[in-house]
Amino acid sequence: AKVITTELQHAGASGANITLDSSKNVTVENNLTVDGTTTLTGAVTLPAGTTSDTLSNRNILFNGAMRIRQWPDVTNAGNEYGGPDRWFFWKNDGAFNIAQVDQVPDGQGFKNSYHIDCTSTSGASGAYYVGILQKLEGKDVMRLKYGSSNAESLTLSFWIRSTKTGTYIATLENKDKTKHISKSYTVSASNTWEKKTITFPGDTASGAEFDNDTGESLKLILWVFAGSSYTSGTLATSWASVVDANSAVGQVNAGDNTSNDIYFTGIQLEPGTTATEFEHRSYGDELHRCQRYYQVLASGNAKYIGLCMHYSSTIGTMAMQWPTRMRAAPTLDFKSGSGIGDLYLMYRDGTSDTFQDWAGVSAGHDSGGAPYVSAGLSGTAGHCGAFYTNSGQAHVALKAEL
């Protein structure tokens, strides 16, 4: 049976409860309660005052806005972290400086970017590469449901400014199952900020699930240069076993001139096939997330590090609870005074001893441990003191990066 009408009204209501128009739109005047499954096939308009930033935890990457920089900037960087936190500089050809800078696209809410400055050209043939990457833990990507028919697509969006125009490659790699997928994009204008969006399908193949652990499971690579070992095959545009030759086919050499600069910011990787606005997190929230992997104890001159004691006459140690629980038991990352001088000191008994290097962390675990020094000290076992920095070049941190 068919009922043809434009309004439905309850006997006790003063006006229509439901209104229908000729374009098949339905207006409900008050609350709508639905028992059972609701399927929406069109666009959903959010309530007034709701923005995409209200939809938190979309971006599975860390520090995509490049705001957090606990790591020092690096001159002539190798395979290492430096500049903005969580972004690893991946390189075995050419020479580059990496840094957090304030070059950003206008009007997007960003204040910092990751800068790659070419100082000696890349371009060697063979197994050579330059790029930046981020590694994600298995526990953070389990929700993507890889290895099932419900595996979620991932949409990557970011801003890039590069001197070198042409084709660039972005790669996702499932480290647990040694599989990868790559997509190309184009930088059209030299030294101009451009926004790029790429969607990667989820991997539905049986056995593609990520390990449920704190090790590296998913890796994003943004290529800057790729040698022939990574470009001589056919680009892997669907999930497949890793074949190096299929990783970065078509990638330009963005390090072919010492005048070249490359900048990245606003990098977001989110479930689904639509790129939403960048998720701007609070500074404190982003810092806390990054400290799971790296946290500075002190950097710069005359900075307090922590209370300590002489374990023996030559060994000084301090027992600590880490400010943030870390991914794993950390190691110490510090600037060595070798060839420079004594960058650190221990105050005790009305005097001080200076020293160049830290020995490590004793009894360390993800929540605490005892950083210690085993050279340069001379005191009395059991006597207390405090560790400080002794130079503007001093830097000591806890590292539990992937």
Side-chain angles (χ1 to χ4, degrees), residues 25 39 58 90 108 113 115 120 138 140 165 181 184 201 208 213 219 223 244 259 270 280 318 355 375:
N25 296 312
T39 302
R58 290 170 290 116
W90 189 53
Q108 301 301 318
S113 63
H115 179 208
S120 180
D140 285 335
T165 60
I181 184 172
S184 64
D213 60 20
K219 177 166 66 179
W223 295 80
D244 285 348
S259 296
E270 59 189 308
H280 289 279
M318 55 180 179
F355 57 95

Side-chain angles (χ1 to χ4, degrees), residues 136-165:
L136 299 173
E137 294 179 47
K139 287 187 178 294
D140 285 335
V141 294
M142 289 294 296
R143 62 173 169 149
L144 301 177
K145 302 182 286 289
Y146 277 34
S148 78
S149 59
N150 295 321
E152 295 196 50
S153 296
L154 285 170
T155 295
L156 173 68
S157 55
F158 59 97
W159 289 85
I160 181 173
R161 174 186 169 118
S162 179
T163 305
K164 185 75 172 183
T165 60

Side-chain angles (χ1 to χ4, degrees), residues 322-358:
W322 312 141
T324 299
R325 185 173 180 178
M326 305 194 73
R327 182 190 66 85
T331 59
L332 279 181
D333 178 69
F334 60 91
K335 176 73 172 181
S336 172
S338 178
I340 302 174
D342 292 337
L343 303 186
Y344 312 95
L345 61 83
M346 177 182 177
Y347 280 120
R348 48 87 186 166
D349 297 329
T351 186
S352 64
D353 292 325
T354 58
F355 57 95
Q356 294 185 358
D357 297 320
W358 295 80

